[in-house]
Structure formats: C-alpha cells, structure tokens
C-alpha cells in the first residue's frame, strides 16, 4: 500500500512538472516585441556609462554614484532594480504582448493583473536626463562637464539600448573662504568655532558642502540664543575670475535682516498641555516647579516628572535649537504620545522683549497595545517547529510614563533525524512555554538617594534663604542624559520539555538600569539577575547521557544563579563614515553570597553551599566585542569583528552553568559550521547527533573579516573569512584536547570562508550566507592546512535577519 501511494504521489508530481514545463515553454516562446507599435522600440537597458577626463578620488566616486542614479532608466523585468540587468523570464512582458491585442474581458483582466506594459525608447527621456546630469556636475564642481548618449541597436530591430558618455572636465576647488558683514557678536562667535568648519581651502567647489557650511553657521547661531535667525540671512559670493580653476569664497550676511534675528532670546514661561484627543479643551491647571500644566479630569493624567525629565529648556535659560530638538525627540521616544509639538511665542511685541514663552502640546497615544508574533524555527540539532508570542502592553501604567508588558510564548518541535544508534526517532513531544512580566520606568529608580520632590523643596528653601541674605544661589543643574534613562523590573517562568530526556523549569527575575550620558557611550547595569533552574523529571536516557559527561551533570544540575552584570558600549557618532563599536560585558554570580558564608565560617573553596536548599553557581564572566567598518564607497565597505570571552567557575562551582558557556558556529559566528559544531579545542564529539550538548567552553576567541560590496539596487554581496574556537579552562578527561594552552591557540582555530547576499528592505535586511570550511582543529586523517575530508561535510547555509556584526 505504501509503495502504491508513493508511486501515485510521484505520478502527480511528474504530471505537475510536465504542466509547469509546458507553461514556461509557451510563455518563453512568446515574443517580447510582437505588440510593440510600428515606429517604436523596446528599451532593454543601459550599457555601462563611459567616464573620461577625471581624477579618481572620494569626491568623484560620490558624484559618479549620484550621476548613475540620475541617468538610470529601468527596463522591463529589471533584476533587483538594476538599469542594465534583466531577468531571463520577463513574464509580465510576455503576458502583455500575448494578450493585450485581444479585447476580451479575460485577456484584459490577465493583462491588468499580471502583465507589464513595455518600456519604450520614447519614454526614456535621455535628453532630459542629460540636462539634469550636467546641472548636477556643475553643482558638484565640474563646471565644464558634458554628457552625451547614443542608441545601441540590438539584433532585433525592435529592441534598443542606451549608453551615456560623461566627460567630467576640470574639478574646481576653493582657494579661500571668508565670513563678512556679520555683527561683532556674531562674528566673534564664528571665529571661536572655526575649527568646526565644513569647508577648507583646496576642497572641491561643491554646492552640497557649501550649503552644509551655511547650515553649520545657522545652527551655531540658533544654539546660542538667536531663535529667529535662518539660512537665508547669509549668502555666498564666489570670485572665479582671479584664478582659473579656483574660487575665492565669501559667506556674508545680507543687508536687510530682521532685527529680531540679531538678538538673543531667553526661555520665559513654559506651559504643558496634556490632551487625550487632539481637539480637547483643557479645564484644569496645576503648577509643577517652573511649569504650568493644563489637563482634564479629576487628577493629572501624568506625573509631570515624566515630562520634566525629557525637557531640555527651563525658564530663564538661553534658547538652544539643539535643546529644542532633543526635547521633541525625547517626548516622541517616550512611547506615551501620538503627537507632540513645541511652540515659541514672544512675550510681547516690544522691541526690548527678549523672552519666548513655550507651549508644549502632547496628545496621548492609545493606552494599550496587543500583539501576536509567529515564527518558524529550525535548529542545528535537526529539529523544526513553530513558535508563537502573544503580548499586551499598558502605557503610562502608574501615571509616571511606565510601560507594563505581559508576554506569553510557546513553541513546539519535531525531529527529522534519527538517534545516534539510528534506530528510533526522538519523538514529537519537544515543547517549551512560559510567561514574562516586565515594568519599564523612564528614570533611574534609586532608593538610596533623596526623592526628586524633596530635593526640589530643599533647593527652593536654599533659594529663599539666599534671597533673604541678598545673595544669589545657583543650584546645581540636573544631570542631562542623551536618551531617557530607564529602570526595568522583569520576572519570567519557562518550562522546557526535551523529548526522552528531561523536563526543566527556569524561574528568573531581573532589575536593570540603562542610561546613555552622550552619543558615544551607553551603560547597562543589572545589580540582581536571579535565576533558579531545576529538573522536574528526567529519563533513563538522560541519566545515561550525564553518566558519560560528568561536567554536564554539574552544569545542568538544580541550582540558583544570583548574578550581577554590567555592560558598556562605545559607538562612533552617527556622522562617522568609518564607525567603530565596542561593547564589553562583565558578570559575576554569588560572590557576595560566598563572602557572607566566609564571614560565617564556611571556606571559600568549599563545595555544596546552598541558597534556599539548593546549590548556587559561582563564576566570573568577561566578554568583549569590537567591530570596525571601513567605508570604501558610499555603499560598499569592509568590516572587521573580534570577540574574546573568558568564564571562570570557582568556589562553590566546578563548572559554570550550561547557559553561560561559550560556543562558536552559526549565522553570526563561524559561518562554515553550525552552532556548537566546533570545539572545545581539538575535541570532537563521538555522538554527532548530540554534539551541540557538549561542544561548549570557558574561553572564546573569534575573528571575522567581511567585504560588503554593493551589487545593484537594494542588493548587496558579502565575501567573508571567519576564524575561532572555544576552550575549557580546566582539564576535562571526557573532552580530551579541549584544555586552553596559549601556544596552541593558532593551530586550534577553525577557519572558514564563504559568500553571501543581503537584500535591504529599508527597515531590516534579509541575509543569506553560504559558508564552507577551510580548516578544522580536530584530526580528520588528512594532513596539511586544508584537512576537510569531504567538501560537503564542511558547508553551512544560514538565512538570517540583519548583519552578523
């Protein structure tokens, strides 16, 4: 019966294949020009643009990329948006040519739904593109640049291509730059900040760069109180006659300038309007420090401290455009409001007025968010299955801008592979489910400091006493953060069932502080991360497994993990062309607890000490990642990534918990191998189906080098080289060759290379990497550097979201 069913399925599959092949043959036999009107030609793409009379440098490369976009015209079936490459199967064009002459309803529906009207030569407008391109050359400093084009005939007389030729000509540069006609106060401000100038003598005469410098001057004035100053109050004059190929530049203030633009403005009264709906009329008013608050209802819908922490402007301070922008950004990023705006109004119309009253209008967003996420998961262990996450978020949960979130998740897995002995499958009963509750508070909650209200009352009393004595008291300004700091409380419970092995419960709680004092540095500190892991039940198969791996019995035993963690991240400013990012994480578990036991008389090295009648893990873990990107062109780059980590278990623990140990392999590591397929050291598991369980370590070293060329449109490529491994910090007789020795590090590194594709969808990037191994650290029976037994044994394909580093 099974054989007959299989033959039946094979017959259906073959029939479908025949039908599909026949359909493709019919469509491919269709002409792409049969319905092209007489006197017209089908545009089939561009030949590569020819560039002459230029000096290759960064400026030319930037102009070339911009010019290629201006001249580009996409043909039908353009491959990844490329103007020169077409798909070999222009199905839409085939359908249009085959059915557009037919006036029946079905044919017209087919053309409208699936057809693609031909791109004709008459619609490519090359003359207009030449004009736009030459104007672009003049704006970027190539005043003598010329562009021409020619039509390139094809074998089919009804098809035609285009090819553009660009004569760049001489690049004009800036000989000198002066700032003239500015009032003394403004001129002094400009001179104090000349080190931040965007243009310098010798730079290309580039309108974009000149405009950036004019905007810098405008931002400089507006960040120093000149609220009414704007770009049009200064213009450029260029002398291009005195010296051929160079320009003497002057940025000067125009003659007729509004007097208000030349005076500095200070912040006056600040009023905050809190609305549920955009058109609500507000009937109640309260005062908070120096702020007036208008709202509706019996009580204020939001504690004003939540808004005051985001405002960068206070009464009596000098107007600052950057502070205005940060205030707007912080209010929008709080997640509380659907719309925010800041309005500045002079207090009166007198010429001597220099105060701006500020109205902060905020419209609350919907209080609840409900979300559902679904995934399909595949693991290197050969298991696949779905995962579902359901969550509910409450905004402004306790009127302090808090975000309360409840998440439920569940996943199910089934196995496609046999057990190590090849006799039976692992069953269809792997599952995992759990719940998580978190509360995010938009400030640093510290019970050991004076509350803000009491601190403000103290400041007010000091100000009053100073006024009574006839002196001025200036309180210390509050600390300003680049983004709103947060305090997060989190609790979760998870149940993990592994087929024929165990059912494990994990309960955890976490307190985390996050803050970013400036654009370059951000910090995260978790003074308490408490995790309790215990086995609900185990099977004989699991007992047999841990008997053969004593370290696994310890690392997966019932235990408490009271952990403390700190992370620092350094990032280059967003404006850097070749950025650097370095992030370091330091964590430890149970050292304070062990110190308490030591004070009570228990030895530090004594094993078996307990917390709530269960042993606790004790370790220190340090891990550093660093990524450097070198921009080669506007869209192509080279990235170098390094990752070093060390994990030391001691005191109450012989081995660190399994979840804390390092591994290599996978989509973001050594991509020639799957996760936990390499290491530790020269060790290789004899149980290939379960190797991922034991191929972890206490020390990790990994290096990645990747070339990321821009191919076409939104498609990018990748050529990468990965190396790394993990090692144990202690001798483990069950994993020979895994112990770390610094002299053996280089020879025990796994090495892989590969290629990849990335498609940029704007809000995220889809990545496909194909890696293949060059060298493995364990013995394969082959000598030499390339010691892979079979090429197919060291290949891995990874589909992922986002860049690997």
């Amino acid at each position: 019966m099974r054989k007959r069913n299989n033959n039946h399925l094979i017959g259906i599959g073959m029939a479908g294949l025949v039908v599909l092949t026949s359909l493709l043959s019919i469509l491919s036999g269709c002409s792409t020009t049969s319905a092209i009107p007489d006197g017209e030609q089908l545009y089939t793409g561009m030949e590569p643009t020819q560039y002459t009379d230029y000096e290759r440098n960064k400026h030319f490369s930037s102009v070339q990329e911009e010019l290629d976009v201006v001249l580009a015209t996409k043909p039908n079936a353009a491959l990844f948006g490329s103007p020169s490459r077409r798909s070999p199967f222009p199905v839409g064009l085939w359908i249009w040519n085959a059915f557009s002459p037919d006036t029946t309803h079905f044919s017209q529906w087919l053309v409208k739904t699936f057809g693609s009207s031909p791109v004709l030569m008459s619609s490519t407008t090359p003359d207009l593109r030449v004009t736009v391109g030459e104007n672009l050359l003049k704006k970027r400093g190539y005043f003598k640049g010329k562009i021409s084009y020619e039509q390139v005939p094809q074998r089919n007389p009804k098809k035609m291509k285009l090819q553009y030729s660009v004569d760049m000509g001489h690049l004009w540069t800036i000989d000198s730059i002066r700032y003239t006609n500015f009032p003394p106060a403004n001129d002094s401000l400009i001179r104090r900040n000349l080190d931040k100038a965007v243009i310098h003598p010798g730079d290309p005469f580039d309108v974009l760069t000149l405009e950036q410098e004019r905007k810098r001057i405008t931002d400089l004035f507006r960040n120093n109180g000149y609220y009414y100053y704007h770009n049009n109050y200064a213009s450029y004059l260029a002398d291009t006659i005195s010296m051929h190929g160079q320009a003497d530049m002057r940025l000067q203030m125009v003659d007729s300038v509004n007097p208000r633009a030349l005076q500095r403005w200070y912040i006056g009264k600040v009023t905050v309007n809190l609305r549920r709906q955009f058109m609500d009329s507000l009937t109640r008013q309260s005062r908070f420090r120096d702020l007036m608050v208008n709202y509706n209802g019996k009580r204020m819908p939001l504690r004003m401290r939540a808004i005051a922490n985001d405002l960068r402007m206070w009464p009596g301070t000098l107007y600052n455009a950057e502070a205005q922008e940060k205030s707007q950004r912080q209010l929008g990023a709080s997640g509380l409001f659907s719309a925010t705006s800041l309005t500045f109004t002079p207090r009166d119309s007198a010429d001597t007025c220099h105060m701006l009253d500020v109205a902060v209008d905020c419209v609350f967003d919907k209080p609840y968010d409900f979300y559902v996420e679904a995934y399909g998961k595949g693991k290197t262990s050969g298991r696949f299955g779905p995962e579902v996450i359901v969550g509910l978020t409450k905004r402004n949960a306790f009127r302090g801008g808090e975000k309360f979130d409840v998440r439920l998740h569940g996943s199910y897995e089934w196995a496609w592979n046999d057990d190590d002995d090849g006799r039976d499958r692992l069953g269809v009963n792997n599952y995992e489910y759990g719940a998580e509750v978190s509360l995010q508070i938009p400030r640093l909650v510290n019970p050991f400091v004076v509350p803000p209200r009491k601190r403000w009352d103290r400041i007010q009393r000091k100000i009053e006493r100073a006024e009574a004595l006839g002196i001025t008291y200036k309180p210390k300004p509050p600390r300003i953060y680049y983004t709103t700091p947060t305090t997060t409380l989190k609790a979760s419970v998870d149940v993990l069932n592994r087929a024929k092995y165990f059912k494990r419960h994990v309960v955890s709680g976490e307190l985390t502080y996050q803050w970013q004092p400036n654009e370059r540095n951000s910090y995260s500190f978790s003074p308490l991360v408490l995790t309790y892991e215990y086995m609900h039940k185990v099977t004989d198969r699991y007992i047999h497994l841990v008997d053969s791996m004593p370290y696994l019995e310890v690392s997966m035993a019932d235990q408490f993990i009271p952990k403390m963690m700190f992370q620092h991240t350094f990032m280059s400013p967003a404006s850097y062309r070749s950025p650097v990012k370095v992030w370091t994480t330091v964590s430890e578990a149970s050292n304070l607890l062990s110190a308490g036991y030591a004070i009570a008389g228990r030895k530090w090295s004594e094993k078996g000490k307990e917390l709530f009648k269960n042993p606790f893990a004790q370790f220190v873990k340090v891990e550093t990642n660093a990524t450097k990107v070198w921009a080669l062109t506007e869209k192509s780059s080279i990235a170098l990534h390094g990752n070093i980590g060390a994990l030391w278990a001691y005191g109450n623990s012989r081995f660190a918990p399994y979840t804390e140990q390092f591994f290599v392999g996978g989509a973001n590591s050594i991509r020639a191998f799957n996760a936990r397929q390499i290491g530790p050291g020269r060790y290789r598991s004899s149980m290939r189906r379960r190797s991922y369980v034991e191929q972890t370590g206490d020390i990790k070293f990994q290096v990645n080098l990747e070339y990321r060329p821009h191919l076409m449109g939104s498609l990018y490529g990748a050529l990468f080289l990965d190396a790394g491994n993990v090692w144990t910090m202690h001798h483990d007789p069950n994993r020979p060759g895994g112990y770390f020795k610094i002299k053996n590090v280089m020879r025990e590194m796994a090495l892989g290379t590969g290629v990849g594709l990335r498609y940029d969808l704007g809000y995220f990037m889809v990545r496909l990497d194909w890696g293949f191994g060059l060298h493995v650290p364990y013995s394969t029976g082959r000598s030499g550097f390339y010691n892979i037994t079979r090429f197919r044994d060291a290949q891995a394909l990874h589909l992922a979201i986002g860049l690997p580093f």
Side-chain angles (χ1 to χ4, degrees):
M1 177 66 71
R2 179 177 295 177
K3 181 176 290 185
R4 287 197 297 272
N5 285 342
N6 288 343
N7 290 338
H8 179 64
L9 290 174
I10 292 172
I12 293 176
M14 290 298 294
L17 182 60
V18 170
V19 171
L20 180 60
T21 303
S22 301
L23 181 60
L24 288 175
S25 298
I26 292 172
L27 284 175
S28 61
C30 295
S31 171
T32 57
T33 59
S34 59
I36 300 295
D38 292 337
E40 289 283 3
Q41 291 172 309
L42 178 68
Y43 169 71
T44 57
M46 294 174 55
E47 294 288 348
T49 302
Q50 301 294 321
Y51 287 89
T52 59
D53 193 16
Y54 64 89
E55 179 182 348
R56 182 168 291 279
N57 51 39
K58 290 183 178 180
H59 182 70
F60 167 75
S61 298
S62 174
V63 175
Q64 182 185 19
E65 287 191 6
E66 192 172 351
L67 194 59
D68 285 342
V69 173
V70 170
L71 300 179
T73 302
K74 298 178 185 177
N76 291 98
L79 199 59
F80 298 108
S82 170
S84 56
R85 294 178 178 85
R86 301 174 64 211
S87 167
F89 303 105
V91 178
L93 191 56
W94 286 340
I95 292 175
W96 190 91
N97 279 276
F99 296 98
S100 62
D102 192 350
T103 58
T104 63
H105 290 294
F106 174 76
S107 295
Q108 294 302 308
W109 171 83
L110 198 63
V111 170
K112 182 178 180 180
T113 306
F114 301 104
S116 176
S117 57
V119 178
L120 303 176
M121 282 296 297
S122 59
S123 64
T124 57
T125 61
D127 293 315
L128 176 60
R129 294 177 184 274
V130 165
T131 301
V132 175
E134 289 182 346
N135 288 335
L136 170 64
L137 290 176
K138 291 180 174 61
K139 290 180 180 179
R140 302 302 299 272
Y142 295 96
F143 293 146
K144 303 296 184 180
K146 295 294 181 182
I147 303 176
S148 60
Y149 71 92
E150 63 176 345
Q151 297 182 354
V152 183
Q154 306 297 296
R155 285 185 298 178
N156 185 338
K158 280 201 169 184
K159 293 182 179 180
M160 188 71 72
K161 286 190 173 184
L162 280 174
Q163 184 175 38
Y164 291 90
S165 298
V166 182
D167 182 359
M168 301 294 292
H170 178 73
L171 174 62
W172 287 60
T173 58
I174 295 174
D175 178 62
S176 62
I177 174 70
R178 290 178 294 164
Y179 305 86
T180 61
N181 207 32
F182 288 93
N186 301 75
D187 185 71
S188 177
L189 189 59
I190 291 174
R191 295 185 181 281
R192 289 199 305 269
N193 291 272
L194 281 178
D195 59 320
K196 302 180 181 66
V198 177
I199 56 177
H200 309 86
D203 288 349
F205 188 103
D206 189 340
V207 172
L208 296 179
T209 308
L210 294 175
E211 185 58 31
Q212 290 174 11
E213 175 64 9
R214 185 166 69 155
K215 185 179 183 303
R216 184 189 72 85
I217 296 299
T218 300
D219 292 341
L220 178 63
F221 289 166
R222 286 178 55 81
N223 288 334
N224 285 273
Y226 297 94
Y227 173 74
Y228 285 100
Y229 185 90
H230 57 76
N231 259 7
N232 293 336
Y233 286 148
S235 61
Y236 282 103
L237 291 178
D239 180 4
T240 59
I241 299 176
S242 301
M243 188 177 299
H244 179 71
Q246 293 184 324
D248 181 16
M249 302 297 305
R250 282 190 297 167
L251 178 63
Q252 68 177 33
M253 181 173 284
V254 299
D255 294 330
S256 55
V257 177
N258 188 329
R260 285 188 168 185
L262 300 179
Q263 75 176 52
R264 305 174 92 186
W265 293 82
Y266 292 81
I267 301 300
K269 182 174 66 175
V270 179
T271 304
V272 179
N273 301 312
L274 299 176
R275 291 183 170 87
R276 299 286 184 184
Q277 303 292 333
F278 186 74
M279 298 301 293
D280 282 354
S281 58
L282 306 179
T283 57
R284 301 199 62 182
Q285 188 176 78
S286 295
R287 186 178 187 85
F288 177 81
R289 300 180 186 173
D290 289 336
L291 305 180
M292 295 301 299
V293 187
N294 298 318
Y295 61 96
N296 282 328
K298 295 182 180 179
R299 62 178 183 176
M300 198 180 301
L302 177 68
R303 292 188 177 93
M304 281 310 300
R305 183 172 57 188
I307 286 187
N309 291 338
D310 292 333
L311 287 179
R312 299 290 183 266
M313 296 174 296
W314 292 89
T317 60
L318 189 67
Y319 169 79
N320 186 298
E322 186 176 344
Q324 176 188 349
E325 182 182 348
K326 286 184 178 179
S327 300
Q328 184 83 47
R329 184 177 65 242
Q330 294 286 87
L331 290 172
S334 66
L336 297 175
F337 310 110
S338 61
T340 59
S341 65
L342 278 71
T343 305
F344 297 82
T345 308
R347 176 160 296 179
D348 56 57
S349 58
D351 293 339
T352 57
C353 176
H354 61 276
M355 301 297 291
L356 291 170
D357 291 336
V358 185
V360 183
D361 293 288
C362 303
V363 180
F364 284 100
D365 202 347
K366 295 178 180 179
Y368 292 96
D369 265 346
F370 178 76
Y371 57 91
V372 178
E373 301 174 9
Y375 303 93
K377 298 174 63 177
K379 296 184 178 180
T380 58
S381 57
R383 291 180 170 86
F384 302 84
E387 179 182 15
V388 176
I389 299 173
V390 179
L392 179 67
T393 301
K394 173 70 167 69
R395 295 188 181 91
N396 197 28
F398 304 105
R399 296 191 306 114
E402 303 87 355
K403 185 183 295 183
F404 183 73
D405 188 73
V406 179
R407 286 163 47 102
L408 305 176
H409 68 88
S411 62
Y412 194 76
E413 297 178 352
W414 60 87
W416 289 98
N417 58 344
D418 296 333
D419 203 355
D420 284 317
D421 55 14
R423 290 181 298 179
D424 62 333
R425 293 188 178 275
L426 296 181
V428 193
N429 57 350
N430 278 13
Y431 59 83
E432 179 179 341
Y433 62 88
E436 178 183 285
V437 178
S438 66
L439 177 66
Q440 186 182 86
I441 305 170
R443 60 184 181 277
L444 298 179
V445 179
N446 188 347
F448 303 105
V449 300
V450 178
R453 185 178 295 276
K454 289 185 178 180
R455 188 166 64 249
W456 179 254
D457 290 341
R458 290 181 182 178
I459 291 174
Q460 288 296 105
R461 288 196 295 270
K462 290 181 180 179
I463 292 175
E464 292 171 358
R465 287 197 297 267
E467 290 178 350
L469 296 174
I471 60 177
T472 301
Y473 171 74
K474 291 185 177 181
K476 183 179 179 180
R479 187 171 183 178
I480 301 298
Y481 295 94
Y482 185 74
T483 59
T484 302
T486 60
T487 301
T488 302
L489 296 167
K490 186 184 298 183
S492 65
V493 57
D494 291 280
V495 178
L496 296 83
N497 188 85
R498 293 297 176 257
K500 300 185 181 181
Y501 285 102
F502 61 81
K503 187 174 185 180
R504 187 172 180 84
H505 292 192
V506 180
V507 181
S508 64
E510 178 182 331
L511 169 63
T512 301
Y513 298 101
Q514 291 180 311
W515 69 98
Q516 187 174 356
N518 50 59
E519 185 181 6
R520 297 191 176 196
N521 297 279
S522 63
Y523 301 88
S524 175
F525 176 53
S526 300
L528 180 62
V529 180
L530 182 62
T531 304
Y532 177 42
E533 301 179 355
Y534 66 97
M535 288 292 187
H536 181 72
K537 63 179 181 180
V538 298
T539 65
D540 293 338
R541 185 190 295 258
Y542 175 78
I543 295 174
H544 174 72
L545 178 64
V546 298
D547 285 343
S548 63
M549 304 180 193
Y551 94 97
L552 188 62
E553 178 182 9
V554 176
S555 63
M556 296 192 70
D558 295 352
Q559 59 188 319
F560 271 101
I561 311 175
K563 189 168 67 172
M564 185 183 300
M565 185 168 59
F566 176 80
Q567 178 174 301
H568 169 242
T569 302
F570 171 83
M571 300 165 290
S572 298
S575 59
Y576 275 33
R577 181 177 173 84
S578 299
V580 176
K581 181 178 181 181
V582 181
W583 62 106
T584 301
T585 304
V586 180
S587 57
E588 64 84 27
S590 305
N591 289 293
L592 292 178
L593 187 61
S594 289
Y597 271 100
I599 293 173
R602 304 283 294 271
K603 292 184 179 180
W604 182 272
S605 59
E606 179 184 343
K607 304 290 190 294
K609 298 189 288 291
E610 296 181 344
L611 175 66
F612 303 126
K613 299 182 179 181
N614 278 279
F616 54 83
Q618 188 174 0
F619 61 84
V620 169
K621 182 178 181 181
V622 180
E623 184 175 10
T624 296
N625 283 270
T627 299
K628 169 67 176 179
V629 178
W630 290 274
L632 303 179
T633 64
E634 193 68 24
K635 296 184 179 180
S636 298
S637 60
I638 293 178
L640 176 65
H641 170 253
N643 178 205
I644 300 176
L647 173 62
W648 182 32
Y650 55 90
N652 205 48
S653 299
R654 285 190 297 153
F655 299 99
Y658 182 78
T659 53
E660 296 289 340
Q661 295 175 22
F662 298 109
F663 66 90
V664 292
N668 300 322
S669 182
I670 307 175
R671 284 160 282 184
F673 310 96
N674 289 320
R676 298 181 177 87
Q677 195 176 350
I678 294 294
R682 300 190 307 274
Y683 174 74
R684 191 186 191 195
S685 174
S686 60
M687 299 179 293
R688 304 309 304 150
R689 298 293 188 189
R690 297 198 299 259
S691 64
Y692 65 93
V693 175
E694 54 179 330
Q695 298 205 241
T696 59
D698 307 315
I699 297 174
K700 179 182 180 182
F701 182 69
Q702 175 186 316
V703 179
N704 309 88
L705 181 65
E706 182 171 285
Y707 171 50
R708 300 168 176 172
H710 176 236
L711 300 181
M712 62 186 79
S714 298
L715 184 67
Y716 295 78
L719 175 63
F720 53 83
L721 184 67
D722 304 326
N725 204 343
V726 295
W727 295 265
T728 62
M729 191 170 287
H730 306 282
H731 283 287
D732 186 349
N734 297 285
R735 295 183 290 175
Y739 180 63
F740 177 78
K741 293 182 179 179
I742 192 168
K743 65 179 181 179
N744 296 333
V745 168
M746 298 308 297
R747 71 183 68 173
E748 292 178 359
M749 296 276 281
L751 185 66
T753 186
V755 295
L757 292 173
R758 291 94 167 86
Y759 193 76
D760 189 359
L761 297 176
Y763 46 93
F764 69 89
M765 182 175 286
V766 179
R767 171 166 58 94
L768 179 65
D769 287 331
W770 173 45
F772 44 91
L774 298 176
H775 178 79
V776 290
Y778 52 81
S779 175
T780 63
R782 295 188 59 172
S783 60
F785 178 78
Y786 181 80
N787 60 349
I788 309 296
T789 307
R790 294 181 300 177
F791 180 69
R792 68 178 183 179
D793 290 342
Q795 296 185 70
L797 195 66
H798 304 283
L799 179 64
I801 301 296
L803 292 172
F805 45 83

